[in-house]
Amino acid sequence: MKKNKNNFQQRKNTTQFQLTIRFISLLVATVLILSITFITITISEIYESTEEQAAVLENSLKNREAKSVSEWQRILSGYVSRDNSPYFIHVGLASGEVAYSSEDAKELYNEFSEFKQLALFDQLLWSREFEPYFYTSIQNEEAKITILVDMEDQFEVVSRIFSLTLFITGVVIVAGSLVTYRFSKKLSGSLVRMNEEISDMEDFSNERLLTVPETPQEVQNVSKSFNQLLEKQRQSLKREQQFVTDASHELRTPLAAIRGHVNLIKRRGEKHPEVIPTSLAYIDKESKRMEILAEQLLTLGRLENQSREETVDLSALVRQTLNDLTVMIKQKVTVQIDDGITIQGHQEHFYQIIRNLIENAVKYTPNSGSIVIKLLAQEKSCALIVEDSGIGIADKEKKHIFERFYRVDQSRSSEVPGSGIGLSIVNELVNLYGGTIEVTDVLPIGSRFTINFRTN
């Protein structure tokens, strides 16, 4: 019993139930108001029509100068000659004599004292048999004339209209309720299906999306927005999972090597002190590598949280970055920088882009090679170009070089300094600012990185 009550309570709180109840209530109220208004107008029209008929008869009888019962009988017979006449007339003479329009009128007036009167329509009377009559009376010099107009036929018409109205009202309410129920079910069905699909999603790892209904527009918009949010969440989860996997993979090797050299010092340090400097140098090298790796991982994690706050002089920033890196560049450097190129963004972001591209070129170019750095102004955009005469990048590897920890020459990855995250940072930042990055070959050997940004 309690379970059924809870189920009913839950159904009461659904959109379908609430919409159905409200639409039906509004429909019933509207139909009833229209029906009552129609019936009231009909009764009023019938009442006024009967009142006008009685007034015409009053004026006609008022001008009669009959003084005896026989004279009044002849006059009244002219008004009620038909068998189905609705008029019942009583004439009371000053002598005390009484004239009736018919025998039926005489019987009716004998019961007149038992008639009931309506409060709102004081000229409407009801007999014991609930037959309605319109009542009026006039006084002339010779007699008091009382008129009762039978309204049974008129009220029978009203009764039929009322019955027909009730029937139509019932049909409209039933049909309207069914239509409203189906409409509300269709309207809430999209929400119910959306809730079921969300409930069936155990986690965000699968590729399922919510079904986007054609109607209603509001639910369609909610579904699309939720799917977009779902995609962003899945991408975020993938990045986090990739971050944990890549970081653990990249850190495992140097940590194992460091522990190996520590154990070597413990085992052989006292008897063979010559191994200590070599091991300490290796530990220092790997610890610095881990420090750089941690800093770059943190940089990747902070990218989306930083906002564009300033106008950056890109021309000056490229020159500054080159000046900062001069001590580490052994290759021949050719520079071509157009002046006055500015861009809206965060200066530290563009510094990371420029520095990582130059460092990447330096790492993979022999000291006898050359590096070309260009910043060229274009129409509503600019191009940052860094090309080298290094080992080059195979076509099949070009699509992978922006992946975290990917190294072009895996056989020499331990010899080439770096963590394999620099180009990932560049790619993330270029995408953040809506730019494009392209990797092409330099003949006879080398690589060219071309980045395009929209400028101020």
Side-chain angles (χ1 to χ4, degrees), residues 368-380:
S368 60
S370 63
I371 298 174
V372 178
I373 301 171
K374 298 179 182 180
L375 180 64
L376 306 177
Q378 300 173 343
E379 186 178 358
K380 295 184 180 181

Side-chain angles (χ1 to χ4, degrees), residues 396-408:
K396 65 179 181 179
E397 293 185 315
K398 284 185 173 69
K399 62 181 179 180
H400 298 295
I401 60 175
F402 297 111
E403 297 174 3
R404 297 179 186 180
F405 305 111
Y406 185 82
R407 310 293 288 274
V408 172

Side-chain angles (χ1 to χ4, degrees), residues 2-71:
K2 185 176 181 180
K3 183 178 180 180
N4 292 335
K5 184 177 181 181
N6 292 335
N7 291 338
F8 177 72
Q9 188 64 34
Q10 290 178 355
R11 288 187 60 191
K12 282 180 61 178
N13 295 329
T14 61
T15 302
Q16 179 181 352
F17 186 88
Q18 296 291 334
L19 286 175
T20 302
I21 291 299
R22 281 166 173 74
F23 274 116
I24 290 176
S25 300
L26 181 62
L27 180 63
V28 169
T30 302
V31 172
L32 287 179
I33 290 173
L34 290 175
S35 300
I36 293 173
T37 302
F38 177 71
I39 292 173
T40 301
I41 293 174
T42 302
I43 293 175
S44 298
E45 290 293 330
I46 291 175
Y47 181 85
E48 291 177 3
S49 175
T50 305
E51 187 177 28
E52 291 174 359
Q53 294 176 17
V56 171
L57 183 58
E58 283 182 355
N59 292 331
S60 177
L61 294 175
K62 186 176 182 179
N63 297 324
R64 299 293 181 174
E65 296 181 355
K67 297 182 180 180
S68 65
V69 172
S70 58
E71 290 176 347

Side-chain angles (χ1 to χ4, degrees), residues 32 37 66 72 93 125 144 221 225 275 314 358 365 378 429:
L32 287 179
T37 302
W72 276 107
L93 301 177
L125 304 179
K144 179 181 180 181
N221 294 339
S225 299
V275 303
L314 207 56
I358 295 175
T365 304
Q378 300 173 343
L429 286 170

Side-chain angles (χ1 to χ4, degrees), residues 233-251:
Q233 182 68 21
R234 285 170 179 167
Q235 292 174 5
S236 178
L237 286 174
K238 287 180 180 179
R239 286 196 298 269
E240 291 179 4
Q241 292 170 356
Q242 187 66 38
F243 175 86
V244 173
T245 302
D246 294 344
S248 61
H249 170 77
E250 191 70 14
L251 291 172

